[in-house]
């Protein structure tokens, strides 16, 4: 129990740390949002895929001393390949099937990932202790974890790269065309299935990067996968399912509120607060903060 | 009554159903304790799957939070029993009432504001998670430390208080499953049932035909949540312990819906066949892995996930629709959930 009479600096410290963590959550949620926005499939294995990236980052660090921040790009590439392959082999045939059928498919994938990781790494929590793990920056009276600053910065870079891709790259624009008008995209001769696979790959690359970064600030167990999936849902629905800026904003908002709720109420109440936000958003603004009304 | 129930059902389908029921009724005489426990789990999932199917299979509303209604049913009757000595059968109406009230709130909020599809599914998860964390802090029923019913070694069965040996629990859950089956059979062919199917296939079209979609979606969630609560009563008195972390956890909700999805969403036999397959698969995998000597934690579930993956990929509408054609027991109403791929 924190109690409301702490000095202001503590609130600010916690808020900044929550905001920086929230940026990484936002990057993870960005992947979910991109996939839903284009492929119209909810990736129920999203958090589980992120735990794969987290474990890879931990293994690379433990065996070769490779810094998770540098491994962000290779791990994004690995997850991209995984996502591309998943979409090509499994999810494309499910595009026209009902939601519960897609849910079942990705749930099966999630079960395999969680338990595969359990066999490979066991149930104990693991994390990365980098050389700068205990460094911090002093900003006047405020003290900010160096790790979280790097993590937040890396998340912004990764998100910016994705924004630029969708804005300027011809393939990125083709993907947006698919999202806007599926039939139209087919008519002008776009290879929609391949573009869907690319999109799912990009969404997975987001969790690859996010997982790599997150391994610096949070420890991971195989059973955290479903919790991260739920967190990603909460964030994208708050921000607006299918909206990229919404996902980042939602991540920041949820990161902030969770950190403050943990301080003000109790650590176990923090997910309750984010679920409360989710319920309110679903009821009063189902399209999310940044989302457009879906037909 | 009998005649109405059997109307339109092929004769050999009735015979097959009677044989299945007869087999289940005499099963305890032949089954050992292990097999009886497995059968109880199967029937439990057949029952909850049937209740979930009313919402998803009949009315097309995907709920991923049915553990909420199980948990409310379980905690209500357990609390009444432990704190006030009120037996489960008297507690059950109360449990159903609370579950239905909760379903009414969720349904009212969601359907009023036009929350549907994936959004509705995630809203149901949110409410279940809410209950999980709420019950963690609800010390009157034990909080996160768990809530326990008094247990003794029973030499005779006390049906009124649901205290007794496994065979008694077996017949209780068998009876519940049979009642749920008959209720769903009747619902499916009622006016409400046809309205639900219209909503499931195309909500806009249903509304343009003058169906009050809000009202009928509300009926679906009310009936489904009310049907689910007795499963919670059974759960509480059979297992004798309740933990919020387990009772309301999302995996509990997912277990409930595995059976009907594998068996065939929107069919009467889907939840039953699915429960047999899902539970049977888990047990067989366990046996095989133990026998093979490869049994690290998680191995069973990896294979389980792989099997689910294969079934969903090759049988998009579940096991029952093709099986019913094979057995030649399919009817028009059974086939509605099995439309061609667009």
């Amino acid at each position: 129990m924190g109690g409301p009479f702490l000095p202001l600096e503590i609130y600010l410290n916690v808020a900044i740390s929550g905001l920086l963590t929230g940026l990484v959550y936002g990057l993870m949620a960005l992947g979910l949002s991109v996939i839903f926005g284009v492929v119209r499939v909810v990736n129920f294995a999203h958090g589980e895929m992120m735990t794969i990236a987290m474990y890879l980052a931990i293994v690379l660090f433990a065996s070769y001393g490779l810094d998770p921040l540098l491994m962000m790009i290779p791990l994004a590439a690995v997850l991209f390949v995984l996502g591309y392959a998943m979409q090509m082999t499994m999810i494309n045939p499910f595009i026209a099937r009902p939601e519960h059928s897609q849910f079942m498919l990705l749930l099966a994938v999630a079960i395999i990932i969680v338990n595969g990781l359990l066999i490979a790494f066991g149930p104990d929590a693991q994390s990365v202790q980098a050389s700068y793990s205990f460094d911090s920056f002093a900003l006047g009276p405020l003290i900010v974890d160096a790790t979280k600053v790097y993590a937040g910065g890396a998340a912004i870079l990764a998100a910016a790269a994705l924004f630029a891709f969708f804005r300027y790259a011809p393939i990125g624009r083709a993907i947006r065309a698919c999202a806007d008008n599926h039939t139209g995209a087919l008519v002008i001769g776009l290879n929609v299935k391949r573009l869907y696979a690319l999109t799912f790959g990009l969404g997975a690359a987001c969790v690859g990067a996010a997982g790599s970064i997150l391994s610096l600030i949070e420890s991971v167990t195989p059973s955290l996968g479903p919790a991260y999936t739920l967190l990603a849902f909460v964030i994208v629905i708050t921000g607006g399912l299918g909206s990229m800026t919404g996902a980042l904003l939602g991540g920041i908002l949820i990161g902030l509120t969770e950190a403050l709720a943990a301080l003000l109420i109790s650590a176990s109440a923090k997910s309750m607060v984010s679920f409360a936000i989710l319920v309110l958003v679903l009821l009063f603004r189902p399209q999310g903060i940044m989302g457009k009304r879906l037909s | 009554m009998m005649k109405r129930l059997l109307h339109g059902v092929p004769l050999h389908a009735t015979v097959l159903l009677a044989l299945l029921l007869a087999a289940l009724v005499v099963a305890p005489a032949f089954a050992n304790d292990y097999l009886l426990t497995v059968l109880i789990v199967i029937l439990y999932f057949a029952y909850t799957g049937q209740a979930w199917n009313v919402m998803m299979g009949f009315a097309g509303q995907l709920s991923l939070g049915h553990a909420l209604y199980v948990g409310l049913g379980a905690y209500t009757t357990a609390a009444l029993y432990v704190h006030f000595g009120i037996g489960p059968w008297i507690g059950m109406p109360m449990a159903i009432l609370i579950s239905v009230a909760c379903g009414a709130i969720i349904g009212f909020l969601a359907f009023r504001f036009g929350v549907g599809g994936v959004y509705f599914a995630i809203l149901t998860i949110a409410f279940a998670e809410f209950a999980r964390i709420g019950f963690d802090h609800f010390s009157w029923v034990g909080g996160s430390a768990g809530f326990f019913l008094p247990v003794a070694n029973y030499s005779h069965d006390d049906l009124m208080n649901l205290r007794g040996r496994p065979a008694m629990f077996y017949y209780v859950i068998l009876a519940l499953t049979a009642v749920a089956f008959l209720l769903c059979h009747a619902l499916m062919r009622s006016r409400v049932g046809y309205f639900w199917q219209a909503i499931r296939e195309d909500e806009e079209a249903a509304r343009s035909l003058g169906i009050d979609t809000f009202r009928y979606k509300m009926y679906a969630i009310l009936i489904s949540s009310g049907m689910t609560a007795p499963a919670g009563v059974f759960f509480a008195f059979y297992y004798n312990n309740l933990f919020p972390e387990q009772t309301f956890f999302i995996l509990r909700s997912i277990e409930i819906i595995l059976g009907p999805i594998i068996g065939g969403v929107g069919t009467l036999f889907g939840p039953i066949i699915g429960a047999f397959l899902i539970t049977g698969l888990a047990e067989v995998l366990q046996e095989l892995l133990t026998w093979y000597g490869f049994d690290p934690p998680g191995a069973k579930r990896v294979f389980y996930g792989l099997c689910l993956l294969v079934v969903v990929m090759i049988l998009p509408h579940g096991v029952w629709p093709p099986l019913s054609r094979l057995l030649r027991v399919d009817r028009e109403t059974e086939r509605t959930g099995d439309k061609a791929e667009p």
Side-chain angles (χ1 to χ4, degrees):
Chain A
M1 284 310 231
F5 303 113
L6 298 165
L8 184 66
E9 289 96 274
I10 294 192
Y11 290 104
L12 282 175
N13 277 338
V14 168
I16 290 173
S17 139
L19 189 147
L20 292 170
T21 311
L23 281 169
V24 186
Y25 290 164
L27 179 62
M28 163 187 76
L30 192 58
L32 187 68
S33 200
V34 164
I35 294 169
F36 181 80
V38 178
V39 190
R40 294 276 142 198
V41 165
V42 178
N43 182 12
F44 278 93
H46 204 67
E48 286 81 355
M49 288 169 70
M50 189 169 76
T51 51
I52 296 183
M54 292 176 83
Y55 274 110
L56 288 177
I58 287 169
V59 167
L60 287 172
F61 181 80
S63 316
Y64 307 102
L66 293 166
D67 189 293
L69 288 176
L70 293 176
M71 287 299 105
M72 183 173 112
I73 294 166
L75 283 182
V78 170
L79 269 277
F80 176 87
V81 173
L82 176 71
Y84 190 95
M86 272 172 69
Q87 179 72 32
M88 269 304 193
T89 53
M90 290 189 301
I91 306 170
N92 268 334
F94 276 70
I95 293 295
R97 292 204 196 165
E99 273 153 10
H100 65 82
S101 195
Q102 300 170 349
F103 163 73
M104 200 65 200
L105 176 79
L106 286 157
L107 177 74
V109 172
I111 292 176
I112 295 169
I113 294 177
V114 169
N115 294 289
L117 290 175
L118 187 64
I119 296 175
F121 298 102
D124 298 328
Q126 299 188 24
S127 62
V128 169
Q129 292 294 330
S131 55
Y132 47 84
S133 279
F134 300 103
D135 293 358
S136 56
F137 297 123
L139 277 170
L142 303 180
I143 298 160
V144 188
D145 270 352
T147 325
K148 286 197 173 156
V149 175
Y150 301 148
I156 291 179
L157 279 182
L162 195 69
F163 276 95
F165 173 79
F166 278 113
R167 187 114 196 111
Y168 302 112
I171 298 177
R173 290 157 69 164
I175 289 175
R176 271 165 52 213
C178 281
D180 283 346
N181 190 335
H182 179 240
T183 323
L186 282 171
V187 167
I188 60 166
L190 292 177
N191 185 346
V192 172
K193 291 212 157 147
R194 202 174 69 87
L195 290 173
Y196 276 178
L198 275 174
T199 310
F200 205 95
L202 285 172
C206 283
V207 287
S212 185
I213 302 170
L214 203 62
S215 68
L216 276 172
I217 48 182
E218 279 177 19
S219 51
V220 61
T221 68
S223 59
L224 272 182
Y228 282 128
T229 302
L230 278 179
L231 184 69
F233 287 158
V234 172
I235 291 170
V236 289
I237 287 183
T238 309
L241 200 44
S243 151
M244 291 177 59
T245 35
L248 275 186
L249 279 180
I252 295 172
L253 179 71
I254 296 297
L256 250 176
T257 41
E258 287 210 338
L260 288 174
L263 177 69
L264 288 171
I265 311 168
S266 76
S268 65
K270 66 176 191 178
S271 52
M272 199 162 180
V273 175
S274 44
F275 278 112
I277 293 178
L278 171 75
V279 169
L280 290 177
V281 166
L282 275 175
L283 297 180
F284 297 107
R285 200 176 156 80
Q287 71 272 40
I289 299 169
M290 300 295 289
K292 292 190 238 20
R293 199 86 173 99
L294 295 168
S295 56
Chain B
M1 180 70 188
M2 244 353 232
K3 213 169 172 182
R4 256 198 82 195
L5 272 177
L6 294 176
H7 178 75
V9 183
L11 180 66
H12 66 286
T14 320
V15 173
L16 280 176
L17 185 59
L19 283 176
L20 175 68
L21 185 66
L24 286 172
V25 167
V26 298
F30 303 99
N32 57 20
D33 281 352
Y34 165 71
L35 194 59
L36 196 61
T37 314
V38 175
L39 281 172
I40 290 174
V41 174
I42 289 174
L43 289 172
Y44 172 80
F45 284 125
Y47 178 82
T48 48
Q50 199 75 265
W52 175 82
N53 201 29
V54 170
M55 250 179 100
M56 177 61 217
F58 294 2
Q61 305 303 310
L62 177 56
S63 162
L64 297 182
H66 258 53
L68 174 65
Y69 312 122
V70 175
L72 288 174
Y75 268 102
T76 307
T77 39
L80 288 174
Y81 185 72
V82 170
H83 290 305
F84 306 111
I86 296 172
W89 298 107
I90 301 165
M92 195 185 277
M94 193 67 196
I96 293 175
L97 208 67
I98 289 178
S99 252
V100 168
C102 218
I105 293 170
I106 296 174
F108 180 81
L109 291 173
F111 301 146
R112 265 289 153 201
F113 288 95
V115 174
V118 180
Y119 295 85
F120 177 72
I122 291 169
L123 186 73
T124 57
I125 298 180
F127 273 97
E129 284 290 293
F130 232 76
R132 177 173 69 85
I133 304 165
F135 272 86
D136 256 346
H137 297 273
F138 192 10
S139 55
W140 189 59
V141 287
S144 56
F147 193 50
F148 302 92
L149 274 73
V151 191
N153 217 347
Y154 299 102
S155 54
H156 71 286
D157 298 329
D158 180 2
L159 187 60
M160 279 320 286
N161 285 316
L162 274 183
R163 307 277 77 190
R165 289 164 295 186
M168 181 197 72
F169 284 100
Y170 174 82
Y171 283 112
V172 168
I173 193 71
L174 179 61
L176 280 175
T177 310
V179 170
F181 180 85
L182 290 177
L183 181 64
C184 285
H185 178 74
L187 279 173
M188 200 176 213
R189 297 204 265 163
S190 69
R191 192 179 166 79
V192 180
Y194 287 118
F195 284 174
W196 280 341
Q197 283 162 43
I199 293 171
R200 179 188 71 194
E201 295 303 322
D202 190 335
E203 193 167 339
E204 290 299 314
R207 197 174 1 210
S208 70
L209 287 173
I211 297 173
D212 183 351
T213 54
F214 173 74
R215 182 203 294 197
Y216 287 99
K217 286 198 290 187
M218 282 303 284
Y219 287 167
I221 195 169
L222 296 180
I223 293 174
S224 182
S225 55
M227 273 176 77
T228 312
V233 179
F234 178 84
F235 186 93
F237 283 79
Y238 180 61
Y239 289 108
N240 296 310
N241 60 70
L242 297 169
F243 293 91
E245 288 301 324
Q246 289 171 9
T247 321
F248 293 101
F249 195 42
I250 179 164
L251 286 179
R252 287 287 103 76
S253 299
I254 288 172
E255 280 175 0
I256 291 173
I257 75 179
L258 284 176
I261 293 184
I262 292 299
V265 167
T267 66
L268 277 178
F269 282 96
I272 299 173
I273 299 274
F276 270 96
L277 290 176
I278 289 289
T279 314
L281 177 68
E283 294 302 326
V284 168
L285 281 177
Q286 185 65 62
E287 289 295 312
L288 278 178
L289 288 173
T290 314
W291 175 76
Y292 198 70
F294 175 73
D295 197 17
K300 178 181 109 179
R301 298 219 135 230
V302 168
F303 286 106
Y304 186 76
L306 283 171
C307 292
L308 287 186
L309 197 67
V310 170
V311 173
V312 208
M313 289 193 80
I314 57 176
L315 296 171
H317 304 291
V319 174
W320 177 248
L323 184 66
S324 69
R325 278 190 292 275
L326 207 67
L327 296 171
R328 300 188 176 285
V329 292
D330 55 333
R331 286 183 292 114
E332 211 49 52
T333 44
E334 287 279 343
R335 246 181 278 138
T336 48
D338 182 27
K339 54 175 180 172
E341 300 234 354

